[in-house]
Short mmCIF file of all heavy atoms in Angstrom, two decimals:
data_model
loop_
_atom_site.label_atom_id
_atom_site.label_comp_id
_atom_site.label_asym_id
_atom_site.label_seq_id
_atom_site.Cartn_x
_atom_site.Cartn_y
_atom_site.Cartn_z
N ASN A 1 74.89 106.76 92.05
CA ASN A 1 74.87 108.00 91.33
C ASN A 1 75.35 107.84 89.89
O ASN A 1 75.64 108.81 89.23
CB ASN A 1 75.66 109.06 92.07
CG ASN A 1 77.17 108.79 92.10
OD1 ASN A 1 77.64 107.84 91.50
ND2 ASN A 1 77.89 109.61 92.81
N GLY A 2 75.49 106.60 89.43
CA GLY A 2 75.88 106.37 88.06
C GLY A 2 77.39 106.34 87.82
O GLY A 2 77.83 106.29 86.69
N ASP A 3 78.21 106.41 88.88
CA ASP A 3 79.66 106.37 88.73
C ASP A 3 80.09 104.94 88.45
O ASP A 3 80.13 104.10 89.34
CB ASP A 3 80.34 106.90 90.00
CG ASP A 3 81.84 106.98 89.87
OD1 ASP A 3 82.39 106.55 88.83
OD2 ASP A 3 82.48 107.47 90.80
N THR A 4 80.42 104.64 87.21
CA THR A 4 80.80 103.27 86.83
C THR A 4 82.29 103.02 87.02
O THR A 4 82.75 101.91 86.76
CB THR A 4 80.43 103.01 85.36
OG1 THR A 4 81.11 103.95 84.54
CG2 THR A 4 78.93 103.11 85.16
N HIS A 5 83.04 104.01 87.48
CA HIS A 5 84.48 103.86 87.65
C HIS A 5 84.88 103.62 89.10
O HIS A 5 86.06 103.44 89.39
CB HIS A 5 85.21 105.11 87.12
CG HIS A 5 84.94 105.37 85.68
ND1 HIS A 5 85.42 104.56 84.67
CD2 HIS A 5 84.21 106.32 85.08
CE1 HIS A 5 85.01 105.02 83.51
NE2 HIS A 5 84.26 106.08 83.73
N THR A 6 83.93 103.64 90.02
CA THR A 6 84.21 103.42 91.43
C THR A 6 83.16 102.45 91.97
O THR A 6 81.97 102.75 91.95
CB THR A 6 84.17 104.75 92.22
OG1 THR A 6 85.14 105.64 91.64
CG2 THR A 6 84.49 104.54 93.68
N TYR A 7 83.64 101.29 92.43
CA TYR A 7 82.71 100.27 92.91
C TYR A 7 83.48 99.19 93.67
O TYR A 7 84.70 99.16 93.67
CB TYR A 7 81.94 99.63 91.75
CG TYR A 7 82.82 98.98 90.70
CD1 TYR A 7 83.17 97.64 90.81
CD2 TYR A 7 83.29 99.71 89.62
CE1 TYR A 7 83.98 97.05 89.86
CE2 TYR A 7 84.09 99.12 88.66
CZ TYR A 7 84.44 97.78 88.79
OH TYR A 7 85.24 97.20 87.85
N PHE A 8 82.76 98.29 94.31
CA PHE A 8 83.35 97.10 94.89
C PHE A 8 82.50 95.91 94.49
O PHE A 8 81.31 96.05 94.21
CB PHE A 8 83.49 97.20 96.42
CG PHE A 8 82.21 97.44 97.15
CD1 PHE A 8 81.43 96.39 97.59
CD2 PHE A 8 81.78 98.74 97.41
CE1 PHE A 8 80.24 96.60 98.26
CE2 PHE A 8 80.60 98.97 98.09
CZ PHE A 8 79.83 97.90 98.52
N GLY A 9 83.15 94.77 94.42
CA GLY A 9 82.41 93.58 94.01
C GLY A 9 83.34 92.41 93.79
O GLY A 9 84.45 92.37 94.30
N PHE A 10 82.88 91.46 93.01
CA PHE A 10 83.62 90.23 92.76
C PHE A 10 84.14 90.24 91.33
O PHE A 10 83.37 90.22 90.38
CB PHE A 10 82.72 89.02 93.01
CG PHE A 10 82.23 88.96 94.43
CD1 PHE A 10 80.99 89.45 94.77
CD2 PHE A 10 83.04 88.46 95.43
CE1 PHE A 10 80.54 89.43 96.09
CE2 PHE A 10 82.61 88.43 96.75
CZ PHE A 10 81.35 88.92 97.08
N SER A 11 85.47 90.28 91.19
CA SER A 11 86.07 90.36 89.86
C SER A 11 86.32 88.99 89.25
O SER A 11 86.64 88.89 88.08
CB SER A 11 87.38 91.14 89.93
OG SER A 11 88.30 90.46 90.78
N GLY A 12 86.22 87.95 90.04
CA GLY A 12 86.45 86.59 89.55
C GLY A 12 86.06 85.61 90.63
O GLY A 12 85.47 85.99 91.65
N ALA A 13 86.40 84.36 90.41
CA ALA A 13 86.05 83.31 91.36
C ALA A 13 86.70 83.59 92.72
O ALA A 13 87.93 83.64 92.83
CB ALA A 13 86.49 81.96 90.83
N ASP A 14 85.88 83.81 93.72
CA ASP A 14 86.35 84.01 95.09
C ASP A 14 87.34 85.17 95.23
O ASP A 14 88.24 85.12 96.05
CB ASP A 14 86.98 82.72 95.65
CG ASP A 14 86.01 81.57 95.66
OD1 ASP A 14 84.82 81.80 95.96
OD2 ASP A 14 86.41 80.44 95.35
N THR A 15 87.18 86.21 94.44
CA THR A 15 88.05 87.38 94.51
C THR A 15 87.21 88.63 94.70
O THR A 15 86.32 88.91 93.91
CB THR A 15 88.91 87.52 93.24
OG1 THR A 15 89.69 86.33 93.07
CG2 THR A 15 89.83 88.70 93.33
N TYR A 16 87.51 89.37 95.76
CA TYR A 16 86.80 90.61 96.09
C TYR A 16 87.69 91.79 95.67
O TYR A 16 88.89 91.78 95.91
CB TYR A 16 86.53 90.66 97.59
CG TYR A 16 85.80 91.90 98.04
CD1 TYR A 16 84.43 92.01 97.89
CD2 TYR A 16 86.49 92.95 98.62
CE1 TYR A 16 83.75 93.14 98.31
CE2 TYR A 16 85.82 94.09 99.04
CZ TYR A 16 84.45 94.18 98.88
OH TYR A 16 83.79 95.30 99.28
N THR A 17 87.09 92.79 95.04
CA THR A 17 87.86 93.91 94.52
C THR A 17 87.20 95.23 94.85
O THR A 17 85.98 95.35 94.85
CB THR A 17 87.94 93.82 92.98
OG1 THR A 17 87.99 92.48 92.56
CG2 THR A 17 89.18 94.49 92.47
N VAL A 18 88.04 96.24 95.11
CA VAL A 18 87.59 97.62 95.25
C VAL A 18 88.26 98.41 94.13
O VAL A 18 89.47 98.38 93.98
CB VAL A 18 87.98 98.21 96.62
CG1 VAL A 18 87.59 99.68 96.69
CG2 VAL A 18 87.33 97.43 97.75
N VAL A 19 87.44 99.08 93.33
CA VAL A 19 87.93 99.87 92.20
C VAL A 19 87.60 101.33 92.45
O VAL A 19 86.48 101.66 92.82
CB VAL A 19 87.28 99.39 90.88
CG1 VAL A 19 87.70 100.26 89.71
CG2 VAL A 19 87.62 97.93 90.62
N THR A 20 88.59 102.20 92.27
CA THR A 20 88.37 103.64 92.38
C THR A 20 88.95 104.31 91.14
O THR A 20 90.06 104.00 90.72
CB THR A 20 89.03 104.23 93.63
OG1 THR A 20 90.43 103.99 93.59
CG2 THR A 20 88.46 103.64 94.90
N GLY A 21 88.17 105.17 90.53
CA GLY A 21 88.63 105.87 89.34
C GLY A 21 88.99 104.95 88.20
O GLY A 21 89.84 105.27 87.37
N GLY A 22 88.36 103.77 88.15
CA GLY A 22 88.62 102.82 87.08
C GLY A 22 89.85 101.95 87.30
O GLY A 22 90.18 101.13 86.46
N THR A 23 90.54 102.12 88.43
CA THR A 23 91.75 101.35 88.73
C THR A 23 91.50 100.49 89.97
O THR A 23 90.96 100.98 90.97
CB THR A 23 92.94 102.29 89.00
OG1 THR A 23 93.14 103.10 87.86
CG2 THR A 23 94.20 101.52 89.30
N THR A 24 91.93 99.23 89.92
CA THR A 24 91.78 98.35 91.08
C THR A 24 92.68 98.84 92.21
O THR A 24 93.89 98.92 92.05
CB THR A 24 92.13 96.90 90.72
OG1 THR A 24 91.25 96.47 89.68
CG2 THR A 24 91.98 95.99 91.91
N ALA A 25 92.07 99.19 93.33
CA ALA A 25 92.80 99.70 94.48
C ALA A 25 93.11 98.60 95.49
O ALA A 25 94.15 98.61 96.13
CB ALA A 25 92.01 100.81 95.15
N LEU A 26 92.20 97.62 95.63
CA LEU A 26 92.33 96.59 96.66
C LEU A 26 91.79 95.28 96.12
O LEU A 26 90.73 95.26 95.49
CB LEU A 26 91.54 96.99 97.91
CG LEU A 26 91.52 96.00 99.05
CD1 LEU A 26 92.80 96.10 99.85
CD2 LEU A 26 90.32 96.25 99.95
N THR A 27 92.51 94.19 96.38
CA THR A 27 92.08 92.86 95.98
C THR A 27 92.24 91.91 97.15
O THR A 27 93.28 91.94 97.82
CB THR A 27 92.92 92.34 94.80
OG1 THR A 27 92.81 93.24 93.70
CG2 THR A 27 92.47 90.95 94.36
N ILE A 28 91.24 91.10 97.41
CA ILE A 28 91.35 90.00 98.38
C ILE A 28 91.01 88.73 97.63
O ILE A 28 89.93 88.60 97.07
CB ILE A 28 90.40 90.18 99.58
CG1 ILE A 28 90.64 91.53 100.26
CG2 ILE A 28 90.57 89.03 100.56
CD1 ILE A 28 89.64 91.87 101.34
N ASP A 29 91.97 87.79 97.60
CA ASP A 29 91.75 86.57 96.82
C ASP A 29 91.31 85.40 97.69
O ASP A 29 91.15 85.54 98.91
CB ASP A 29 93.00 86.22 95.99
CG ASP A 29 94.19 85.77 96.80
OD1 ASP A 29 94.05 85.47 98.01
OD2 ASP A 29 95.29 85.69 96.23
N SER A 30 91.10 84.25 97.08
CA SER A 30 90.57 83.09 97.79
C SER A 30 91.54 82.51 98.82
O SER A 30 91.14 81.76 99.69
CB SER A 30 90.19 82.00 96.78
OG SER A 30 91.34 81.60 96.06
N SER A 31 92.82 82.89 98.74
CA SER A 31 93.81 82.46 99.74
C SER A 31 93.90 83.46 100.89
O SER A 31 94.78 83.36 101.73
CB SER A 31 95.19 82.32 99.09
OG SER A 31 95.17 81.34 98.10
N GLN A 32 93.00 84.43 100.89
CA GLN A 32 92.96 85.51 101.86
C GLN A 32 94.20 86.40 101.79
O GLN A 32 94.58 87.04 102.75
CB GLN A 32 92.74 84.98 103.28
CG GLN A 32 91.43 84.26 103.42
CD GLN A 32 91.24 83.65 104.79
OE1 GLN A 32 92.16 83.58 105.60
NE2 GLN A 32 90.05 83.18 105.05
N ASN A 33 94.83 86.45 100.62
CA ASN A 33 95.91 87.39 100.38
C ASN A 33 95.29 88.73 100.01
O ASN A 33 94.31 88.79 99.27
CB ASN A 33 96.81 86.92 99.23
CG ASN A 33 97.60 85.69 99.61
OD1 ASN A 33 97.82 85.40 100.78
ND2 ASN A 33 98.06 84.96 98.61
N VAL A 34 95.87 89.81 100.53
CA VAL A 34 95.36 91.15 100.29
C VAL A 34 96.37 91.91 99.44
O VAL A 34 97.56 91.95 99.76
CB VAL A 34 95.14 91.91 101.62
CG1 VAL A 34 94.70 93.34 101.37
CG2 VAL A 34 94.12 91.17 102.48
N GLY A 35 95.89 92.47 98.35
CA GLY A 35 96.75 93.25 97.47
C GLY A 35 96.30 94.69 97.42
O GLY A 35 95.12 94.97 97.21
N ILE A 36 97.24 95.60 97.61
CA ILE A 36 96.97 97.03 97.45
C ILE A 36 97.80 97.48 96.26
O ILE A 36 99.03 97.35 96.27
CB ILE A 36 97.34 97.82 98.71
CG1 ILE A 36 96.50 97.33 99.89
CG2 ILE A 36 97.15 99.32 98.48
CD1 ILE A 36 96.89 97.93 101.22
N GLY A 37 97.14 97.93 95.22
CA GLY A 37 97.84 98.33 94.01
C GLY A 37 98.22 97.17 93.11
O GLY A 37 98.97 97.33 92.15
N THR A 38 97.72 95.99 93.40
CA THR A 38 97.96 94.82 92.57
C THR A 38 96.69 93.98 92.50
O THR A 38 95.93 93.92 93.46
CB THR A 38 99.13 93.96 93.08
OG1 THR A 38 99.29 92.81 92.24
CG2 THR A 38 98.93 93.51 94.51
N THR A 39 96.48 93.34 91.38
CA THR A 39 95.30 92.46 91.24
C THR A 39 95.65 91.00 91.50
O THR A 39 94.78 90.14 91.45
CB THR A 39 94.70 92.59 89.82
OG1 THR A 39 95.71 92.25 88.87
CG2 THR A 39 94.19 93.99 89.57
N SER A 40 96.93 90.71 91.77
CA SER A 40 97.34 89.33 92.02
C SER A 40 98.31 89.26 93.20
O SER A 40 99.50 89.02 93.02
CB SER A 40 97.98 88.72 90.77
OG SER A 40 99.05 89.55 90.32
N PRO A 41 97.78 89.46 94.42
CA PRO A 41 98.65 89.41 95.60
C PRO A 41 99.22 88.01 95.80
O PRO A 41 98.53 87.01 95.62
CB PRO A 41 97.72 89.80 96.75
CG PRO A 41 96.35 89.49 96.27
CD PRO A 41 96.38 89.69 94.78
N SER A 42 100.51 87.94 96.15
CA SER A 42 101.16 86.65 96.31
C SER A 42 101.51 86.34 97.76
O SER A 42 102.01 85.25 98.06
CB SER A 42 102.43 86.59 95.46
OG SER A 42 103.33 87.62 95.84
N THR A 43 101.25 87.28 98.68
CA THR A 43 101.49 87.08 100.10
C THR A 43 100.30 87.64 100.88
O THR A 43 99.41 88.25 100.31
CB THR A 43 102.78 87.79 100.56
OG1 THR A 43 102.68 89.17 100.25
CG2 THR A 43 104.01 87.20 99.87
N LYS A 44 100.29 87.45 102.18
CA LYS A 44 99.17 87.91 103.00
C LYS A 44 98.91 89.40 102.85
O LYS A 44 97.78 89.86 102.86
CB LYS A 44 99.37 87.56 104.48
CG LYS A 44 99.21 86.08 104.75
CD LYS A 44 97.80 85.62 104.40
CE LYS A 44 97.63 84.14 104.53
NZ LYS A 44 96.38 83.67 103.94
N LEU A 45 99.98 90.19 102.69
CA LEU A 45 99.83 91.61 102.37
C LEU A 45 100.85 91.95 101.30
O LEU A 45 102.06 91.87 101.53
CB LEU A 45 100.05 92.51 103.59
CG LEU A 45 99.93 94.02 103.33
CD1 LEU A 45 98.55 94.37 102.78
CD2 LEU A 45 100.22 94.79 104.60
N ASP A 46 100.37 92.28 100.12
CA ASP A 46 101.21 92.56 98.96
C ASP A 46 100.90 93.98 98.49
O ASP A 46 99.79 94.26 98.04
CB ASP A 46 100.90 91.55 97.86
CG ASP A 46 101.90 91.55 96.72
OD1 ASP A 46 102.69 92.51 96.62
OD2 ASP A 46 101.86 90.60 95.93
N VAL A 47 101.85 94.89 98.67
CA VAL A 47 101.64 96.30 98.34
C VAL A 47 102.57 96.70 97.20
O VAL A 47 103.78 96.48 97.27
CB VAL A 47 101.91 97.20 99.57
CG1 VAL A 47 101.70 98.67 99.21
CG2 VAL A 47 101.02 96.80 100.74
N VAL A 48 102.00 97.29 96.17
CA VAL A 48 102.79 97.85 95.07
C VAL A 48 102.79 99.36 95.27
O VAL A 48 101.75 99.99 95.17
CB VAL A 48 102.20 97.46 93.70
CG1 VAL A 48 102.95 98.16 92.59
CG2 VAL A 48 102.25 95.95 93.52
N GLY A 49 103.93 99.91 95.59
CA GLY A 49 104.05 101.34 95.87
C GLY A 49 104.68 101.56 97.22
O GLY A 49 105.06 100.62 97.91
N GLU A 50 104.80 102.79 97.60
CA GLU A 50 105.41 103.14 98.87
C GLU A 50 104.44 102.92 100.02
O GLU A 50 103.23 103.04 99.85
CB GLU A 50 105.86 104.60 98.86
CG GLU A 50 107.00 104.85 97.89
CD GLU A 50 107.51 106.28 97.98
OE1 GLU A 50 107.23 106.98 98.97
OE2 GLU A 50 108.18 106.69 97.03
N ILE A 51 105.00 102.59 101.18
CA ILE A 51 104.21 102.39 102.39
C ILE A 51 104.66 103.41 103.41
O ILE A 51 105.86 103.62 103.60
CB ILE A 51 104.41 100.96 102.94
CG1 ILE A 51 103.98 99.93 101.92
CG2 ILE A 51 103.64 100.78 104.24
CD1 ILE A 51 104.35 98.51 102.30
N SER A 52 103.72 104.04 104.08
CA SER A 52 104.03 105.02 105.12
C SER A 52 103.46 104.53 106.43
O SER A 52 102.34 104.01 106.48
CB SER A 52 103.42 106.37 104.74
OG SER A 52 103.65 107.31 105.76
N ALA A 53 104.24 104.68 107.49
CA ALA A 53 103.78 104.31 108.83
C ALA A 53 104.12 105.43 109.79
O ALA A 53 105.17 106.05 109.68
CB ALA A 53 104.43 103.01 109.29
N THR A 54 103.23 105.69 110.73
CA THR A 54 103.47 106.74 111.71
C THR A 54 104.02 106.19 113.02
O THR A 54 104.25 106.93 113.95
CB THR A 54 102.19 107.54 111.99
OG1 THR A 54 101.18 106.64 112.45
CG2 THR A 54 101.70 108.26 110.75
N ASN A 55 104.20 104.88 113.07
CA ASN A 55 104.72 104.26 114.28
C ASN A 55 105.62 103.10 113.86
O ASN A 55 106.00 102.98 112.71
CB ASN A 55 103.57 103.79 115.18
CG ASN A 55 103.95 103.81 116.65
OD1 ASN A 55 105.10 103.58 117.01
ND2 ASN A 55 102.98 104.08 117.50
N THR A 56 105.93 102.21 114.76
CA THR A 56 106.87 101.12 114.53
C THR A 56 106.25 100.02 113.69
O THR A 56 105.09 99.65 113.88
CB THR A 56 107.30 100.53 115.89
OG1 THR A 56 107.85 101.57 116.68
CG2 THR A 56 108.31 99.43 115.71
N ILE A 57 107.04 99.51 112.77
CA ILE A 57 106.68 98.30 112.03
C ILE A 57 107.52 97.18 112.62
O ILE A 57 108.74 97.26 112.67
CB ILE A 57 106.95 98.45 110.53
CG1 ILE A 57 106.10 99.57 109.94
CG2 ILE A 57 106.70 97.13 109.80
CD1 ILE A 57 106.38 99.87 108.50
N THR A 58 106.88 96.12 113.07
CA THR A 58 107.57 95.03 113.74
C THR A 58 107.53 93.78 112.89
O THR A 58 106.51 93.44 112.31
CB THR A 58 106.90 94.73 115.11
OG1 THR A 58 106.88 95.94 115.87
CG2 THR A 58 107.63 93.66 115.87
N SER A 59 108.68 93.09 112.86
CA SER A 59 108.78 91.82 112.15
C SER A 59 109.23 90.75 113.12
O SER A 59 110.07 91.00 113.99
CB SER A 59 109.79 91.94 111.00
OG SER A 59 110.04 90.67 110.45
N THR A 60 108.67 89.56 112.98
CA THR A 60 109.12 88.46 113.81
C THR A 60 110.25 87.68 113.15
O THR A 60 110.76 86.73 113.71
CB THR A 60 107.96 87.49 114.11
OG1 THR A 60 107.44 87.02 112.86
CG2 THR A 60 106.86 88.18 114.89
N LYS A 61 110.64 88.13 111.98
CA LYS A 61 111.74 87.50 111.25
C LYS A 61 113.06 87.89 111.91
O LYS A 61 113.28 89.05 112.23
CB LYS A 61 111.69 87.96 109.79
CG LYS A 61 112.46 87.11 108.86
CD LYS A 61 112.15 87.51 107.43
CE LYS A 61 113.00 86.65 106.53
NZ LYS A 61 112.38 86.35 105.30
N SER A 62 113.98 86.95 112.08
CA SER A 62 115.22 87.22 112.80
C SER A 62 116.28 87.89 111.92
O SER A 62 117.31 88.32 112.42
CB SER A 62 115.78 85.93 113.38
OG SER A 62 116.07 85.02 112.34
N THR A 63 116.05 87.98 110.63
CA THR A 63 117.01 88.60 109.74
C THR A 63 116.27 89.44 108.72
O THR A 63 115.09 89.24 108.48
CB THR A 63 117.87 87.53 109.02
OG1 THR A 63 118.74 88.19 108.11
CG2 THR A 63 117.02 86.53 108.28
N ASN A 64 116.96 90.37 108.11
CA ASN A 64 116.34 91.20 107.08
C ASN A 64 116.47 90.57 105.71
O ASN A 64 116.09 91.17 104.72
CB ASN A 64 116.96 92.60 107.08
CG ASN A 64 116.51 93.42 108.25
OD1 ASN A 64 115.48 93.12 108.86
ND2 ASN A 64 117.24 94.43 108.60
N ALA A 65 117.02 89.37 105.62
CA ALA A 65 117.14 88.69 104.33
C ALA A 65 115.75 88.51 103.75
O ALA A 65 114.80 88.14 104.43
CB ALA A 65 117.80 87.32 104.50
N GLY A 66 115.60 88.81 102.51
CA GLY A 66 114.31 88.68 101.86
C GLY A 66 113.55 90.00 101.77
O GLY A 66 112.53 90.07 101.13
N ILE A 67 114.06 91.03 102.43
CA ILE A 67 113.43 92.34 102.31
C ILE A 67 113.92 92.96 101.01
O ILE A 67 115.10 93.19 100.82
CB ILE A 67 113.76 93.25 103.51
CG1 ILE A 67 113.16 92.67 104.78
CG2 ILE A 67 113.25 94.66 103.26
CD1 ILE A 67 113.50 93.44 106.03
N GLY A 68 112.99 93.20 100.10
CA GLY A 68 113.37 93.66 98.78
C GLY A 68 113.50 95.16 98.65
O GLY A 68 113.94 95.66 97.65
N GLY A 69 113.15 95.88 99.68
CA GLY A 69 113.21 97.34 99.60
C GLY A 69 114.10 97.91 100.67
O GLY A 69 115.07 97.29 101.08
N GLN A 70 113.76 99.06 101.13
CA GLN A 70 114.58 99.77 102.10
C GLN A 70 113.77 100.08 103.33
O GLN A 70 112.65 100.58 103.24
CB GLN A 70 115.10 101.06 101.46
CG GLN A 70 115.90 101.92 102.39
CD GLN A 70 116.37 103.20 101.71
OE1 GLN A 70 116.14 103.41 100.53
NE2 GLN A 70 117.02 104.06 102.46
N LEU A 71 114.31 99.79 104.50
CA LEU A 71 113.69 100.17 105.76
C LEU A 71 114.39 101.40 106.29
O LEU A 71 115.61 101.48 106.29
CB LEU A 71 113.79 99.05 106.79
CG LEU A 71 112.99 97.79 106.51
CD1 LEU A 71 113.25 96.74 107.56
CD2 LEU A 71 111.51 98.10 106.43
N LYS A 72 113.63 102.37 106.73
CA LYS A 72 114.22 103.59 107.28
C LYS A 72 114.03 103.62 108.77
O LYS A 72 113.13 103.11 109.30
CB LYS A 72 113.58 104.82 106.65
CG LYS A 72 113.84 104.91 105.17
CD LYS A 72 113.19 106.15 104.60
CE LYS A 72 113.43 106.24 103.11
NZ LYS A 72 112.82 107.41 102.51
#
């Protein structure tokens, strides 16, 4: 429909991107890292912004060391 601000495609070598409203919403890079709100994810799931869950979030890590935010 001519909307040049919302699309998906390849933004670089082996990088898949979803753009909405002219802003990159989702990035999957060649290391299979997924970024939401970032164009350069550094882990398997890298989210910039708040995360909401309606159920339990489970970690296999034995300590909370390394958690940079707050768990409620």
Side-chain angles (χ1 to χ4, degrees):
N1 68 4
D3 184 355
T4 59
H5 301 290
T6 302
Y7 59 91
F8 58 90
F10 299 97
S11 61
D14 301 321
T15 302
Y16 180 80
T17 326
V18 176
V19 176
T20 59
T23 301
T24 300
L26 177 81
T27 301
I28 304 173
D29 69 12
S30 61
S31 298
Q32 298 176 349
N33 291 338
V34 176
I36 299 173
T38 178
T39 58
S40 55
S42 59
T43 58
K44 288 298 175 192
L45 179 59
D46 192 346
V47 179
V48 174
E50 293 185 17
I51 300 171
S52 177
T54 58
N55 210 328
T56 303
I57 298 175
T58 304
S59 171
T60 57
K61 198 170 178 147
S62 61
T63 177
N64 286 340
I67 295 176
Q70 177 181 356
L71 292 176
K72 296 181 181 180

